[in-house]
Amino acid sequence: MKSKLLALAIILVLLIGALAQISGVVQDRQNHRQAAIHSIAQSLAGAQTLVGPLIHVTCTEQWSTVVDKQVQTERREHQLVAAPTSLAVQGSSQLQPRARGLHATQVFDLKARLAARWADLQTLQPTAQHPNGSVSCGQPVLMMSVTDARGIRHASLRVGDTPLPLLPGTLYNGYPRGVHAPLPTNLLTAGGLAAQLDIELVGTEQLSVVPVGADTQVNLSSNWPHPSFGGQFLPVTHQVSAQGFEASWRVSSLASTAQQDVAQRKAVCATVQDASTPGPRTCAEAFGVTFVDPGNTYALSDRATKYGLLFIGLTFLAVGLFEFMKALRVHPIQYLLVGAAMSMFFLLLVSLAEHLPFEIAYLAAASACVLLLTFYAGHMLQGFSRGVPFGLGIGLLYGMLYVLLQIEQTALLVGTVALFAVLAAIMALTRHVDWYARIRQMSQGGAAPG
């Protein structure tokens, strides 16, 4: 008995090693997927964050100082920026898959209209910072910044009723990528300014907006039914259906530091920084949506593999109970083969899921393992009347695992309740067993030969 328990312990260690290797394979394939997504982003465009429209002007201040009784002229160059009083963004994005080999990601095509209004342009009026200083400024520039300018397919601008040609770049320090247009002086009136910018922009996985307006309103719709809203501000309203989603944000400068962040040239981060992130914030405040791919088979396969040891342990427990209750003899090699079949399920799953929808891959892998274990258990347990219930139990385990993979938010609750039910069933079935008598019988050779 002791030697058999030692053999089973060694087998469990071997199977744990096998599961670790399979988990490594899944992680390696996941890394290949990330590399493919990165390659698509490098060839097309990455995640996009919109900053603007903003109006800025470059000014030069010149002043004189006396050093060692000599007059020296000094100068500094700086930029003044005017954020819009109101900013309204109306956008619609359509998503389509792009693939590199076996791996695909979602690419969005955004068509948006940004309507900005400035009540006045007082912040563009220069003031000298040094005594006897004189300030001269260049032509004001209206600009719009994006994270990856390669994604700009089309852009047009109207200031008031006047269309203006757009030029590449922003001429604004800190946010160089985007478009800009020099503003003619006749358009700069004391009554403020209104501009409308239409843009078509492509990118991958994530779209964000920096709320630079004193009052920023964003309405976004898409055909993608799996959005993940993030950033410092969640939507005021949103609707998600199988046909896509609609979401609306409204952010006031009273609740956001975005205007100050832009003035301080804080970086636009690759991912929307969560408001609860501890420590000093180095990114400009933003909000947006990530187009989550629920069909990420590697993430699902990795989650499934984490249940591998539990599955093998429950299966060994079932075999041990059959052996103990029916006075059978199951060789450790047979335990090893059963555990190997259970481990192979996870490798079958990830390999099939690369070529088939995850649901079909899961069904195929689970069916193959259940049929194999039912057939083998019929001989191992000395009767198909015992092998069939054993196979049904394995099928129930795979069914429970699939449910756990689909309900990520409540997986812990459902899994805990299921384990409690299994424990209760085992306790109920063995409540009348005289364990000492059973062990004595088996140690005296009372068990039937295997």
Side-chain angles (χ1 to χ4, degrees):
M1 178 66 71
K2 292 182 179 179
S3 60
K4 185 170 184 177
L5 290 176
L6 178 61
L8 290 178
I10 294 174
I11 288 171
L12 278 175
V13 171
L14 293 174
L15 291 174
I16 290 173
L19 287 174
Q21 292 294 319
I22 293 173
S23 182
V25 170
V26 175
Q27 188 61 50
D28 184 59
R29 303 301 290 179
Q30 178 81 311
N31 292 338
H32 280 298
R33 179 179 183 272
Q34 292 301 324
I37 292 174
H38 181 70
S39 174
I40 293 172
Q42 288 295 316
S43 301
L44 184 65
Q48 297 284 15
T49 300
L50 307 180
V51 183
L54 297 167
I55 298 176
H56 68 83
V57 62
T58 301
C59 298
T60 302
E61 181 182 2
Q62 185 172 300
W63 68 96
S64 299
T65 59
V66 178
V67 180
D68 296 332
K69 298 182 180 181
Q70 294 184 351
V71 178
Q72 294 183 355
T73 300
E74 296 187 28
R75 59 190 299 164
R76 73 179 182 97
E77 187 176 276
H78 60 284
Q79 287 183 313
L80 302 175
V81 60
T85 307
S86 64
L87 172 62
V89 181
Q90 187 75 36
S92 174
S93 63
Q94 299 294 312
L95 276 84
Q96 56 183 345
R98 293 288 180 91
R100 283 281 191 276
L102 296 172
H103 311 291
T105 188
Q106 300 299 323
V107 174
F108 64 82
D109 184 350
L110 172 71
K111 295 181 179 179
R113 171 165 291 179
L114 298 92
R117 180 176 295 276
W118 289 260
D120 58 65
L121 301 174
Q122 292 299 317
T123 56
L124 299 182
Q125 299 299 319
T127 57
Q129 300 295 317
H130 299 83
N132 303 318
S134 61
V135 182
S136 61
C137 297
Q139 186 175 10
V141 171
L142 188 148
M143 71 88 167
M144 175 75 194
S145 172
V146 298
T147 307
D148 194 337
R150 296 174 304 156
I152 299 176
R153 292 293 178 263
H154 171 76
S156 61
L157 173 68
R158 296 183 68 88
V159 177
D161 296 324
T162 305
L164 295 180
L166 288 167
L167 302 174
T170 65
L171 306 183
Y172 186 70
N173 298 335
Y175 308 105
R177 292 178 290 274
V179 293
H180 77 278
L183 293 175
T185 55
N186 65 304
L187 296 179
L188 303 175
T189 64
L193 192 73
Q196 177 179 295
L197 190 146
D198 294 300
I199 189 169
E200 182 177 351
L201 184 70
V202 300
T204 54
E205 294 197 310
Q206 181 178 278
L207 174 64
S208 308
V209 176
V210 176
V212 295
D215 179 58
T216 301
Q217 298 185 55
V218 176
N219 298 305
L220 183 64
S221 62
S222 174
N223 65 336
W224 190 246
H226 308 288
S228 175
F229 304 110
Q232 275 69 27
F233 303 95
L234 292 176
V236 177
T237 61
H238 69 276
Q239 293 182 342
V240 181
S241 67
Q243 287 71 42
F245 73 87
E246 294 183 1
S248 298
W249 291 261
R250 183 166 187 177
V251 180
S252 169
S253 60
L254 298 176
S256 172
T257 62
Q259 290 185 349
Q260 296 91 316
D261 294 341
V262 171
Q264 296 169 11
R265 276 71 169 177
K266 284 190 177 181
V268 173
C269 294
T271 57
V272 178
Q273 197 175 32
D274 189 82
S276 61
T277 302
R281 185 171 50 82
T282 59
C283 302
E285 282 193 344
F287 60 82
V289 59
T290 299
F291 302 101
V292 177
D293 186 359
N296 185 344
T297 58
Y298 300 113
L300 292 173
S301 298
D302 183 62
R303 287 181 56 207
T305 306
K306 295 183 187 303
Y307 292 96
L309 182 60
L310 177 62
F311 271 42
I312 292 174
L314 289 175
T315 304
F316 278 18
L317 178 62
V319 174
L321 284 175
F322 268 110
E323 180 180 5
F324 193 75
M325 301 297 294
K326 300 299 181 182
L328 303 174
R329 297 194 63 175
V330 179
H331 197 276
I333 294 296
Q334 293 175 305
Y335 278 94
L336 175 62
L337 292 174
V338 169
M342 296 291 292
S343 300
M344 277 297 298
F345 161 76
F346 302 102
L347 198 57
L348 275 173
L349 176 61
V350 68
S351 58
L352 290 173
E354 288 186 337
H355 303 275
L356 300 171
F358 183 80
E359 295 78 7
I360 297 177
Y362 190 97
L363 178 62
S367 299
C369 289
V370 168
L371 290 174
L372 175 61
L373 288 170
T374 301
F375 168 76
Y376 189 69
H379 296 277
M380 178 179 66
L381 302 178
Q382 301 177 12
F384 282 98
S385 60
R386 297 168 180 171
V388 170
F390 179 82
L392 291 176
I394 298 298
L396 183 61
L397 277 180
Y398 286 131
M400 178 58 64
L401 175 60
Y402 185 79
V403 172
L404 293 177
L405 294 178
Q406 301 302 311
I407 54 170
E408 182 177 0
Q409 300 298 323
T410 56
L412 178 61
L413 173 62
V414 175
T416 303
V417 171
L419 282 176
F420 183 82
V422 170
L423 176 62
I426 293 173
M427 293 175 69
L429 291 173
T430 60
R431 65 188 183 277
H432 297 304
V433 174
D434 186 341
W435 296 95
Y436 285 110
R438 288 282 185 178
I439 294 173
R440 192 180 307 114
Q441 178 185 5
M442 295 183 69
S443 63
Q444 292 174 356

